[in-house]
Amino acid sequence: MAARRDRTHYLYLAVIGAVLLGIAVGFLAPGVAVELKPLGTGFVNLIKMMISPIIFCTIVLGVGSVRKAAKVGAVGGLALGYFLVMSTVALAIGLLVGNLLEPGSGLHLTKEIAEAGAKQAEGASESTPDFLLGMIPKTLVSAFTEGEVLQTLLVALLAGFALQAMGSAGEPVLRGIGHIQRLVFRILGMIMWAAPVGAFGAIAAVVGATGAAALKSLAVIMIGFYVTCGLFVFVVLGTLLRLIAGINIWSLLKYLGREFLLILSTSSSESALPRLIAKMEHLGVSKPVVGITVPTGYSFNLDGTAIYLTMASLFTAEAMGDPLSLGEQVSLLAFMIIASKGAAGVTGAGLATLAGGLQSHRPELVDGVGLIVGIDRFMSEARALTNFAGNAVATVLVGTWTKEIDKARAAEVLAGRVPFDETTLVDDGHGTGVVPDQRADEGEEKARAGV
């Protein structure tokens, strides 16, 4: 087993090499590099193919294995309350830094840039009733076929509560879904071996299309955004994690290092969602907390997106010579946070949300979105990394508040003494993430099989 686990180290070394090679190809042969974009798109699509079944299995197992519905409500209520507070904090930090930097001053809008901004705004905004109705799938299975995260979340919650109400009659179904979850994670483990190819294509294409000129002219907002995200993660989230859970933020981020590398190479936090679920359970957080907090956080805990929308809005308004007043900043950004739900893992979704928000509040500023198009891919990476870190911290904090985390196991895991099994991507009952009933069932099955 150890030898198989060691092989995964080569996979992530290959991802790093592929990223560096992609950057080189992007600069040396930009024309060829742009044509490599389908490699990156294909890999991200393979990951997205697995998201709905993983979310469904995780939530059904998490909710269905809890004997009292009130416990699920307590976890969900705590998580949503925390998400709301942290999104507000992220907005405030973004507003503060954005107003201090004034990053958009001195830029000029060309016809091509205006057209690019208008293109991003096409169909980007939706009303609140449209959003709420969009959460309901056309059929029970269409949420899986259409890849809608919020629809899958709704179906999974309904299935989980139904199994919970069935009591002992629902246990065979829960065990079956547990086996399906292992199958899905095993398939994901196979897909991960294509990560170096996907990383190479994605990075080469964006470097080839963007070049160095756009990066130089827009370096202020990029650097400012990265620094702001860093401050949020290490100062705000790090302080909360230390005070509430007694865990060092550096230890947690180191434990999730491979997931951060995957996000960096694909610009999508969705690509690491399945691994975050598996790793949080391995860390010692219970299945119900992981099953509810992580998928919900991917739709509602958008710390990086909040900072991005704040700074990008201020940047666009200043570049257009029409700065936003404080009142306009607050109302516009409150609208954008509501409109950005479900977009955390989708590459480029933040840009569409920005354009849609400006179109609905200040239509005259929409053309300025084109100024950011050239560097959005690079900002998307910081956005995705921050969203991911925020959801990892949220899971630990909610687990701590609900007393659903094994602190001793977490310390052992973060110290590296209980390594995560990369061959299966799922902790097969070795840790506290599996509820006692399930662990007993698995023990009986292994005994019958002579294991």
Side-chain angles (χ1 to χ4, degrees):
M1 183 67 73
R4 291 177 64 191
R5 190 156 55 235
D6 286 341
R7 277 195 333 204
T8 63
H9 295 304
Y10 297 111
L11 168 62
Y12 290 93
L13 287 173
V15 170
I16 295 172
V19 169
L20 296 175
L21 183 61
I23 292 171
V25 171
F27 280 120
L28 298 174
V32 175
V34 172
E35 298 299 320
L36 297 173
K37 186 177 181 181
L39 293 177
T41 304
F43 174 70
V44 173
N45 287 347
L46 281 172
I47 298 289
K48 287 181 180 179
M49 175 180 75
M50 309 304 297
I51 296 299
S52 288
I54 285 171
I55 286 179
F56 178 79
C57 292
T58 302
I59 291 180
V60 171
L61 289 173
V63 174
S65 60
V66 178
R67 294 294 172 250
K68 293 182 179 179
K71 184 178 176 183
V72 177
V75 172
L78 265 175
L80 287 173
Y82 171 80
F83 296 158
L84 180 63
V85 171
M86 293 315 294
S87 292
T88 305
V89 171
L91 274 173
I93 291 174
L95 276 175
L96 178 64
V97 176
N99 281 296
L100 286 174
L101 285 181
E102 297 184 350
S105 55
L107 287 177
H108 302 288
L109 190 71
T110 65
K111 183 180 177 182
E112 291 78 11
I113 287 175
E115 289 172 353
K119 183 179 178 182
Q120 286 296 328
E122 291 177 6
S125 60
E126 65 174 340
S127 64
T128 302
D130 288 339
F131 161 59
L132 295 174
L133 290 173
M135 291 177 64
I136 305 172
K138 292 172 185 160
T139 68
L140 198 63
V141 295
S142 64
F144 303 100
T145 57
E146 294 176 9
E148 293 289 341
V149 173
L150 289 178
Q151 290 182 4
T152 306
L153 200 64
L154 176 64
V155 172
L157 284 171
L158 291 173
F161 282 120
L163 285 169
Q164 190 182 76
M166 289 169 66
S168 59
E171 288 179 5
V173 181
L174 276 174
R175 283 199 296 272
I177 292 174
H179 291 308
I180 293 172
Q181 185 191 48
R182 289 192 187 89
L183 169 65
V184 170
F185 272 113
R186 191 58 64 94
I187 294 171
L188 181 74
M190 295 161 63
I191 291 172
M192 290 306 300
W193 286 96
V197 178
F200 170 70
I203 295 294
V206 73
V207 173
T210 307
L215 302 185
K216 288 177 184 176
S217 64
L218 296 165
V220 173
I221 186 172
M222 277 182 61
I223 295 171
F225 179 58
Y226 270 75
V227 169
T228 306
C229 287
L231 288 173
F232 180 80
V233 170
F234 293 107
V235 177
V236 179
L237 296 182
T239 302
L240 281 174
L241 193 63
R242 169 60 74 184
L243 293 178
I244 296 171
I247 291 175
N248 186 294
I249 186 74
W250 287 101
S251 300
L252 183 64
L253 298 186
K254 182 183 177 184
Y255 172 61
L256 298 170
R258 293 187 175 189
E259 288 68 45
F260 283 113
L261 176 60
L262 183 62
I263 293 168
L264 194 64
S265 59
T266 61
S267 272
S268 173
S269 58
E270 196 170 62
S271 61
L273 168 60
R275 292 181 59 88
L276 179 61
I277 290 171
K279 280 204 161 181
M280 287 293 102
E281 288 183 9
H282 178 75
L283 185 67
V285 184
S286 71
K287 269 187 181 292
V289 170
V290 174
I292 295 165
T293 307
V294 174
T296 307
Y298 261 68
S299 290
F300 296 101
N301 189 30
L302 312 178
D303 300 330
T305 304
I307 295 170
Y308 166 82
L309 291 173
T310 309
M311 297 185 70
S313 299
L314 296 176
F315 168 85
T316 302
E318 286 164 5
M320 296 286 286
D322 190 8
L324 296 167
S325 67
L326 185 60
E328 287 175 327
Q329 290 177 23
V330 173
S331 64
L332 172 63
L333 297 167
F335 167 83
M336 284 183 172
I337 289 304
I338 296 170
S340 66
K341 66 279 153 256
V346 185
T347 305
L351 195 62
T353 304
L354 172 66
L358 288 174
Q359 186 181 47
S360 63
H361 279 63
R362 291 281 297 274
E364 68 275 15
L365 297 179
V366 171
D367 289 348
V369 175
L371 287 163
I372 285 184
V373 172
I375 58 161
D376 180 72
R377 176 58 159 72
F378 294 93
M379 297 176 75
S380 176
E381 289 167 350
R383 202 161 62 223
L385 291 168
T386 306
N387 286 338
F388 183 80
N391 284 315
V393 171
T395 306
V396 174
L397 294 181
V398 173
T400 303
W401 286 324
T402 56
K403 296 180 172 57
E404 291 285 324
I405 182 173
D406 186 334
K407 291 288 187 67
R409 179 180 174 86
E412 290 290 299
V413 170
L414 293 178
R417 289 188 285 271
V418 183
F420 179 73
D421 187 353
E422 294 283 351
T423 60
T424 60
L425 286 181
V426 66
D427 194 32
D428 287 330
H430 299 302
T432 58
V434 179
V435 291
D437 291 347
Q438 285 179 308
R439 191 181 294 122
D441 292 335
E442 288 163 11
E444 290 170 11
E445 289 168 12
K446 289 181 178 179
R448 285 196 296 270
V451 178

